[in-house]
Amino acid sequence: MNNPQKILSSLKVTGNLPSMPQVLIQLLDSCQDPEVEIQAIATIVDKDAAISAKVLQLVNSAFIGTRRAIRSIEQAVVYLGMDTVRNLAISISVQQVFRRVETNGLLSIDRFWHHSYTNGLLARNIAQAIQYPDPSEAYLAGLLHDIGKLLLWMAFPGSYAPLLLKGIRCHNARLAFLEEEKLHVNHCQAGAWLCEQWYLPSLLADAIRFHHHPIDEVRHALPLTKIVCLADLLSHNQPDVPECMAAAAQLFAMDDATVIQLVSGLDEEVEQLAEQLGIRIPRLARTSHDKEPESEEAHRETSLGLITRIRDISQLNGLLESLLRAEDQDRIIAAVEQALKILFNEDLCLLMLAEHSSGRMIARTSRDNPLMRETEGFFFIPDDHPDSLPHRAIHHRCLMHSFQDKSKQPSPSPLFDTQLFHLLGCQGMAVVPLLCRDHLEGLLLIGLQAHSFRALTSQAGALQMVAGHAAIAFQLERIRREQSERIASERLQAATLVARKIGHEINNPLAILRNYLHILERKISQGQDIVQELAIIDGELERLAQVTRGLDDLSREHTPPRREQIDLHRHLRTILTPFQAALPPESQIVLTLQPSAHPVVLDLDPGHLHQIVHNLVQNSLDALQSKGTITLRTEIDRNQVRIHVEDDGPGIDPAHFNDIFNAGFSTKNDTHRGLGLSIAAALAKQMGGTLSGAVLNGTTTFTLALPT
């Protein structure tokens, strides 16, 4: 069997595809905009005499029942609501498009529209009964459910006529079967396809596509499809027919009384609506032979309009894809300028990109833009020009232009705007804000002549789409750039922190070496033995060598542990000796070691242990300044040895104990980098131990716990 999509697509080639009127295209586009104003809808409706006449006729009819006559289109739109106006415009437009069907003898266009309006009202009643959120949408789906019949009649008049004769006495599902058998496409598929070509909602197209499917399948469908299916079934039968009752119960769990209520007063309602819309209600099963030749010129215009729309959308899709693929600002700018040239034939444009730190808008163009040289270095701050067009476009978050309504009293443009006109070399301009999630990425300034501005603003929807995608592209590019800068900054900060830690580690042995120079000087002058001091100096020089060897890789904070067995108490004495020797004679600081009763031998890196204990003792000395006691105390508990460094200095605020082991935190003066304890804690972790601190009874204690 042939593919229905191929058969229908061939209508584009043959020219038999019915074209949606241009006014209806504008109306549908505007109704999809959640921020559209009533005045804008009224202006569009007013462009079409047939639609505006029907809107006024309907709003003043007995069907609506207004208390006073309404003469204004804007008042009518307010009273009826945008959904009703949209649905009315679609039904009138569809009637206009398919008017030539009336010249064919077997299909009564009046009977067709009578059945369609019956279905629409039934679908609305069902939607209200089941509390469907959008009864207006259900009405429109019911109204258009059989539009595929008109399309097939126009496309295949010779082949479709016999099918209508065969199917005239049978249910529409039987007609759909005959259509597929003969034409390889049925009216449900054709109607759904036409709705898609007219860019109507996909849920509406699906409701048309599946409205003749078996009830067992439809009951699993979305609500709109079930509504249209039941409405069609009720429109072909009396409501008390068992098939209708069973379908209503299966689809919506409706009882018999509710089903009867759906059709109550329906005939009178259809008669009123048909009368207001000028539809002759067929009293007998006869066909209409009234001929009303279609205007070939009007048909050609609407066809060209649809072709142009499809071409523009195709081009727009390609341009939007190129925008989102652009990897840097220059390519995004070039893509925006290309879009304006291809879609709107506009060369005079200027992008002003937002500099968020300063509030400035900075001019950017592609290399091919004739404004490149003149705008180099150009920028402005919108807040400095509150009456200007750019500032108003930013404030109102929408496209603004400088061409005034002729019916209003002309007023001079602000001087700043006039200078922008001169810069762009034009009579006026349009300004489009580049917004992404309400975040301003820049402005698009388009220079316009008086004769070209209407052509551009008539395609405001496409222009806004280009601006929206440009804003997304600029925001993505900015985020990528900021992330790259942030990563580079974080890497620099990390390298700086590592360098600071290395500097801190170097500073400790240097301090010891300085102390021992004083000791050596004193001992040499007194003729004392200096062998022990020279050994300590050699050890500290080796520690310096280890640190400097680590400078070849700043990402490695410490060299791997160099494990060996050491006598803990002997090693602690070695660490304390330089501190004790460096204390001046007048110092009132007492520094002692209180080893545990049993000797302790540990397998660890002596350099790491030396660094930790040295940091802790130096911190205690800094806290005491010139008076107090520092005690190194060890204790053994099962599989753990604990080294306590205690002092009776001013102590540490308990609130700071959560932060003192973080790099950069210090309770000392600003010259300290706050790295000693963070390094000590990291070294303790490398050795499989922990470092903690506490203040109790005036004594500050830091404890290094190591496995034995």
Side-chain angles (χ1 to χ4, degrees):
M1 182 173 288
N2 294 334
N3 186 346
Q5 198 72 22
K6 271 187 183 177
I7 296 169
L8 293 167
S9 296
S10 67
L11 293 178
K12 289 184 180 180
V13 179
T14 62
N16 284 329
L17 172 65
S19 303
M20 185 185 295
Q22 190 65 32
V23 167
L24 185 58
I25 291 173
Q26 295 176 15
L27 189 62
L28 292 177
D29 284 344
S30 298
C31 287
Q32 289 172 358
D33 182 358
E35 298 181 359
V36 70
E37 296 180 355
I38 290 292
Q39 176 62 45
I41 299 297
T43 302
I44 296 171
V45 170
D46 206 27
K47 292 179 182 177
D48 189 287
I51 296 176
S52 56
K54 291 295 184 183
V55 165
L56 289 174
Q57 189 177 4
L58 182 64
V59 78
N60 289 298
S61 69
F63 181 75
I64 299 297
T66 56
R67 295 182 179 179
R68 58 184 178 82
I70 293 177
R71 298 285 179 261
S72 160
I73 291 293
E74 186 173 354
Q75 288 179 333
V77 172
V78 171
Y79 195 91
L80 294 173
M82 283 195 290
D83 286 342
T84 300
V85 171
R86 178 198 63 183
N87 293 343
L88 180 62
I90 288 175
S91 64
I92 293 168
S93 298
V94 171
Q95 289 179 46
Q96 291 173 342
V97 166
F98 288 101
R99 187 169 293 161
R100 59 180 169 172
V101 176
E102 294 184 3
T103 64
N104 298 288
L106 292 177
L107 184 63
S108 166
I109 198 68
D110 285 332
R111 177 173 290 280
F112 173 86
W113 285 115
H114 178 263
H115 172 69
S116 296
Y117 281 109
T118 300
N119 248 54
L121 293 172
L122 270 171
R124 181 205 62 187
N125 292 350
I126 296 169
Q128 291 171 341
I130 67 169
Q131 296 184 333
Y132 183 70
D134 193 353
S136 170
E137 181 184 48
Y139 169 81
L140 183 58
L143 178 71
L144 300 180
H145 78 292
D146 270 348
I147 195 172
K149 291 181 181 179
L150 300 184
L151 180 61
L152 293 180
W153 181 269
M154 290 178 63
F156 314 107
S159 304
Y160 199 48
L163 297 183
L164 286 178
L165 287 173
K166 285 184 181 179
I168 199 166
R169 293 291 184 184
C170 60
H171 191 274
N172 275 288
R174 170 64 178 166
L175 177 59
F177 173 79
L178 294 174
E179 291 165 346
E180 285 195 64
E181 189 177 51
K182 180 70 174 178
L183 305 176
H184 309 299
V185 60
N186 63 46
H187 68 274
C188 307
Q189 296 165 331
W193 178 83
L194 184 61
C195 287
E196 289 168 350
Q197 298 305 304
W198 286 355
Y199 304 103
L200 296 177
S202 61
L203 290 181
L204 188 148
D206 279 348
I208 294 172
R209 180 180 287 112
F210 302 124
H211 77 271
H212 281 320
H213 268 49
I215 297 296
D216 286 342
E217 295 181 22
V218 173
R219 70 189 180 91
H220 298 296
L222 293 172
L224 188 61
T225 299
K226 294 195 285 187
I227 289 171
V228 174
C229 179
L230 180 59
D232 185 65
L233 192 62
L234 289 171
S235 67
H236 286 287
N237 299 280
Q238 293 299 318
D240 55 355
V241 170
E243 182 185 3
C244 294
M245 295 296 187
Q250 194 170 1
L251 294 177
F252 298 113
M254 282 186 184
D255 55 30
D256 293 356
T258 303
V259 177
I260 298 297
Q261 187 63 33
L262 292 176
V263 299
S264 177
L266 184 66
D267 290 341
E268 293 79 3
E269 200 171 4
V270 172
E271 284 185 16
Q272 283 186 357
L273 183 58
E275 181 181 350
Q276 300 304 323
L277 296 177
I279 299 172
R280 296 184 298 275
I281 298 178
R283 300 297 180 184
L284 302 172
R286 67 178 190 273
T287 59
S288 172
H289 299 278
D290 298 336
K291 295 186 178 181
E292 190 174 354
E294 183 183 28
S295 167
E296 292 299 326
E297 182 63 27
H299 178 69
R300 184 161 51 250
E301 286 181 6
T302 54
S303 297
L304 288 173
L306 185 61
I307 291 169
T308 302
R309 180 182 173 88
I310 293 171
R311 183 200 64 204
D312 288 349
I313 288 174
S314 301
Q315 290 177 335
L316 186 60
N317 285 338
L319 291 166
L320 297 182
E321 285 181 14
S322 68
L323 265 176
L324 295 180
R325 285 198 305 268
E327 297 176 355
D328 54 44
Q329 271 193 10
D330 290 337
R331 292 177 182 172
I332 298 171
I333 292 166
V336 173
E337 292 180 357
Q338 183 186 21
L340 290 175
K341 176 64 178 174
I342 292 176
L343 293 178
F344 313 114
N345 198 30
E346 293 296 340
D347 285 319
L348 300 173
C349 69
L350 180 63
L351 279 161
M352 304 295 301
L353 299 187
E355 186 179 67
H356 298 97
S357 59
S358 65
R360 300 191 307 174
M361 309 298 292
I362 300 175
R364 290 296 308 274
T365 67
S366 70
R367 294 180 180 179
D368 299 328
N369 193 316
L371 297 173
M372 180 181 177
R373 290 182 180 275
E374 197 166 354
T375 58
E376 188 173 358
F378 173 67
F379 70 88
F380 64 84
I381 300 175
D383 287 345
D384 290 347
H385 310 281
D387 297 329
S388 69
L389 198 60
H391 186 274
R392 287 189 286 127
I394 294 172
H395 177 72
H396 293 289
R397 290 300 205 249
C398 66
L399 182 152
M400 304 288 288
H401 61 79
S402 60
F403 295 91
Q404 299 173 347
D405 188 343
K406 292 181 180 179
S407 63
K408 296 181 179 179
Q409 185 70 24
S411 58
S413 298
L415 180 59
F416 179 69
D417 288 353
T418 302
Q419 290 182 298
L420 289 177
F421 302 161
H422 294 164
L423 179 67
L424 294 168
C426 56
Q427 294 174 320
M429 68 178 176
V431 180
V432 190
L434 306 182
L435 297 169
C436 180
R437 296 181 180 176
D438 208 37
H439 193 280
L440 182 69
E441 294 295 331
L443 294 172
L444 175 58
L445 276 56
I446 306 171
L448 298 171
Q449 306 301 334
H451 62 83
S452 61
F453 118 87
R454 291 196 179 278
L456 181 72
T457 53
S458 67
Q459 301 186 68
L463 182 58
Q464 293 281 15
M465 191 177 295
V466 170
H469 277 67
I472 293 171
F474 280 123
Q475 188 173 93
L476 290 174
E477 188 276 336
R478 178 172 56 81
I479 290 171
R480 284 195 295 264
R481 179 163 31 86
E482 289 175 352
Q483 284 178 338
S484 298
E485 292 171 356
R486 185 165 57 250
I487 290 170
S489 175
E490 288 173 355
R491 285 176 177 169
L492 180 61
Q493 289 176 9
T496 302
L497 181 60
V498 172
R500 286 170 59 192
K501 288 184 177 182
I502 290 173
H504 189 277
E505 292 185 29
I506 289 174
N507 189 58
N508 285 330
L510 284 177
I512 293 172
L513 290 173
R514 283 195 299 270
N515 291 338
Y516 266 85
L517 287 175
H518 295 298
I519 295 171
L520 286 175
E521 183 181 7
R522 188 171 68 243
K523 283 195 170 186
I524 290 173
S525 65
Q526 296 173 359
Q528 297 178 5
D529 181 42
I530 59 172
V531 173
Q532 183 180 2
E533 284 75 14
L534 290 175
I536 292 173
I537 289 174
D538 183 63
E540 294 303 318
L541 289 172
E542 174 58 27
R543 278 215 300 144
L544 275 174
Q546 289 180 8
V547 173
T548 55
R549 282 195 293 270
L551 290 174
D552 61 349
D553 183 5
L554 287 179
S555 66
R556 184 176 68 235
E557 296 188 3
H558 302 281
T559 56
R562 178 177 53 83
R563 306 180 71 88
E564 62 179 76
Q565 286 194 339
I566 63 167
D567 181 330
L568 176 63
H569 295 148
R570 181 178 177 182
H571 197 79
L572 292 178
R573 288 191 185 94
T574 302
I575 296 171
L576 282 182
T577 299
F579 287 108
Q580 292 168 328
L583 291 173
E586 68 277 9
S587 174
Q588 298 184 46
I589 293 177
V590 178
L591 206 163
T592 60
L593 173 65
Q594 295 180 1
S596 62
H598 302 284
V600 180
V601 177
L602 297 177
D603 184 24
L604 47 71
D605 186 324
H608 285 10
L609 177 63
H610 194 118
Q611 181 73 23
I612 295 171
V613 176
H614 184 280
N615 276 331
L616 296 177
V617 173
Q618 186 62 56
N619 285 346
S620 292
L621 284 170
D622 291 341
L624 293 177
Q625 295 183 351
S626 61
K627 182 179 180 180
T629 300
I630 300 173
T631 303
L632 261 72
R633 184 168 53 85
T634 63
E635 60 176 335
I636 302 174
D637 182 13
R638 296 183 182 178
N639 299 324
Q640 193 179 68
V641 60
R642 289 188 290 276
I643 303 168
H644 305 287
V645 179
E646 304 170 341
D647 70 69
D648 57 0
I652 298 174
D653 188 339
H656 291 157
F657 272 105
N658 292 328
D659 301 313
I660 56 176
F661 296 107
N662 295 332
F665 180 83
S666 177
T667 59
K668 304 176 186 178
N669 57 46
D670 293 339
T671 61
H672 290 81
R673 298 185 178 90
L675 296 173
L677 287 177
S678 68
I679 293 173
L683 292 175
K685 187 176 181 181
Q686 286 187 34
M687 294 192 295
T690 60
L691 181 63
S692 59
V695 177
L696 184 63
N697 298 326
T699 299
T700 302
T701 303
F702 282 90
T703 301
L704 172 64
L706 297 170
T708 56

